[in-house]
Amino acid sequence: MSNILVAYYSRADENYVSGQIKTLKIGNTEVAAGIIEKLTGADVFKLEQVQPYAKDYNTCIAQAQSDQKRNARPELEKYPDSLEKYDVMYLGYPNYWNTMPMAVFTFLEHFDFTGKEIRPFCTHEGSGMGNSVSDIRKLCPDAEVSQGLAIRGGSVKESEKAIKEWIEELR
């Protein structure tokens, strides 16, 4: 049983990758979460919306942007029973317009992160972490939020070395 959790939001299907629309069987953030799981032995939890966004990239983008503009909190299919046993949580997500997908806001608002360490990581195609780390700090003011890691989605499969270095820096 690990005291580390990797909680992440990821989307497969059509994605914008390296300047092109590509269909992914596994989303980029899920690939990164799997690498972190392998390197840390952490437990893993995937955040999934009750009503997922469309598989089509352009429709998905319109839906996600609408949620963000409305400051929506999409309902999640499930939550971990408790986060009590976890001291550290790696929190992964794609960068959606300079922050996290709204489903990640839903997740963070569901739990009390007092005394927990949150280590954010995101996948992106040029926008880095955006404002996501400061957004996490606002949502979880009593947690320690570490320096985040931004991973270019198009090269996530080759990111194990960078992820390992980041994990080691945070220890």
Side-chain angles (χ1 to χ4, degrees):
M1 183 183 308
S2 177
N3 71 333
I4 303 171
L5 176 66
V6 178
Y8 69 94
Y9 179 94
S10 189
R11 187 179 165 282
D13 303 314
E14 285 188 358
N15 275 262
Y16 182 78
V17 179
S18 301
Q20 300 176 3
I21 304 296
K22 295 183 179 180
T23 300
L24 305 178
K25 290 183 181 179
I26 299 173
N28 292 324
T29 308
E30 186 167 354
V31 172
I35 293 169
I36 294 169
E37 175 189 19
K38 179 179 118 180
L39 294 172
T40 64
D43 294 340
V44 177
F45 185 82
K46 183 175 182 178
L47 309 176
E48 297 180 272
Q49 295 176 198
V50 169
Q51 294 184 342
Y53 294 135
K55 293 178 184 233
D56 170 77
Y57 177 75
N58 290 319
T59 305
C60 167
I61 292 306
Q63 293 168 327
Q65 198 165 43
S66 173
D67 277 356
Q68 189 180 56
K69 286 178 181 175
R70 293 181 297 110
N71 201 26
R73 295 300 185 265
E75 186 179 352
L76 300 181
E77 282 189 8
K78 60 185 174 182
Y79 294 91
D81 291 334
S82 168
L83 298 183
E84 190 173 313
K85 69 178 183 177
Y86 301 110
D87 301 317
V88 173
M89 181 179 70
Y90 289 90
L91 179 66
Y93 45 87
N95 182 324
Y96 279 13
W97 302 282
N98 216 30
T99 192
M100 308 167 287
M102 300 315 291
V104 180
F105 284 77
T106 302
F107 176 76
L108 291 174
E109 290 172 349
H110 185 80
F111 290 103
D112 178 2
F113 289 91
T114 300
K116 308 280 185 194
E117 181 181 356
I118 300 173
R119 298 176 176 178
F121 65 98
C122 83
T123 55
H124 67 95
E125 284 301 320
S127 50
M129 296 296 294
N131 292 322
S132 63
V133 174
S134 62
D135 289 341
I136 294 167
R137 287 184 174 128
K138 286 176 198 167
L139 290 166
C140 306
D142 297 320
E144 178 186 336
V145 181
S146 70
Q147 171 189 340
L149 177 67
I151 305 161
R152 188 170 287 272
S155 60
V156 70
K157 291 178 182 170
E158 296 83 37
S159 67
E160 185 168 337
K161 182 179 183 232
I163 292 172
K164 184 176 183 178
E165 289 171 358
W166 174 64
I167 290 169
E168 289 171 359
E169 284 175 18
L170 295 175
R171 286 190 177 153

